[in-house]
Amino acid sequence: MIGSYIKTSGRNLLRNKLFSSINIVGLAISMSVGLLLIAFVLDLRSYDKFHKNGERIYRITNVATFNGEQGGKFGSTSIKTGKLIREKVTGIEEVAILRNDFSKDAMVGDNILPLKGFWAEPSLFRIFTFPMLEGNPDTALKDPYSIVLTETAAKKLFGNEICAR
């Protein structure tokens, strides 16, 4: 029975080549667009949801204007804005101010590693719950000149001994 259906549909496809190819290409394009939309929406809905209070974390963005014309949106703002939000906006529990112009060389023994990263306040780890292999998130950035490294950077600087603990 199934063999008969396959033969009949195969003959129909060969008899109406143009109509069949238009339908098959349209179906393939619509399925591709549908799957891309599903992937896009799932990505948007899962963004930073791994944090403990992810639904209560907000990001300040700026809209740039050049010569009166609206430019793009940027996921950054001035430090002064963060300080003003902290002082004047009620209902805000924590504000984390980040700057992304950190670029220095770290040296441990003979290992020298160029690091790029962010300047951050200690409130960063009270807002975001990034998993830490070593150290305490509550005291991680309290001291001046303290640093938090990724696991990759720590392995490059200290070798595998740091991650073996």
Side-chain angles (χ1 to χ4, degrees):
M1 187 78 174
I2 293 177
S4 174
Y5 288 147
I6 292 173
K7 282 182 189 178
T8 306
S9 51
R11 289 180 187 152
N12 194 16
L13 287 173
L14 290 175
R15 207 174 301 133
N16 303 313
K17 291 178 187 172
L18 179 65
F19 184 71
S20 298
S21 61
I22 290 172
N23 280 336
I24 291 170
V25 168
L27 178 66
I29 290 172
S30 64
M31 287 180 67
S32 301
V33 169
L35 288 173
L36 281 173
L37 281 173
I38 289 170
F40 183 70
V41 168
L42 285 175
D43 182 56
L44 284 177
R45 304 256 319 138
S46 67
Y47 188 75
D48 282 348
K49 295 295 181 190
F50 62 90
H51 294 295
K52 182 179 174 186
N53 296 318
E55 71 281 350
R56 295 172 46 203
I57 299 173
Y58 294 91
R59 179 181 186 179
I60 303 293
T61 58
N62 275 343
V63 177
T65 55
F66 302 104
N67 298 328
E69 294 183 24
Q70 184 174 355
K73 287 186 179 181
F74 296 98
S76 63
T77 187
S78 68
I79 293 175
K80 188 175 183 180
T81 304
K83 291 179 181 178
L84 285 172
I85 289 172
R86 186 180 286 140
E87 294 169 3
K88 301 200 177 200
V89 178
T90 58
I92 303 294
E93 295 175 32
E94 291 282 349
V95 175
I97 298 174
L98 300 168
R99 291 195 59 194
N100 67 346
D101 61 348
F102 177 81
S103 180
K104 299 285 181 189
D105 289 339
M107 185 172 69
V108 174
D110 294 336
N111 295 337
I112 298 173
L113 180 69
L115 294 177
K116 294 187 85 151
F118 296 91
W119 299 97
E121 294 182 323
S123 61
L124 177 78
F125 291 112
R126 288 192 296 270
I127 297 171
F128 299 104
T129 53
F130 291 110
M132 294 183 83
L133 295 177
E134 293 282 327
N136 185 356
D138 296 331
T139 61
L141 295 173
K142 286 193 179 201
D143 296 331
Y145 305 108
S146 59
I147 189 169
V148 176
L149 297 172
T150 63
E151 182 178 2
T152 307
K155 281 183 180 178
K156 287 180 182 177
L157 278 174
F158 300 105
N160 289 331
E161 66 196 41
I162 191 77
C163 298
R165 289 186 208 171

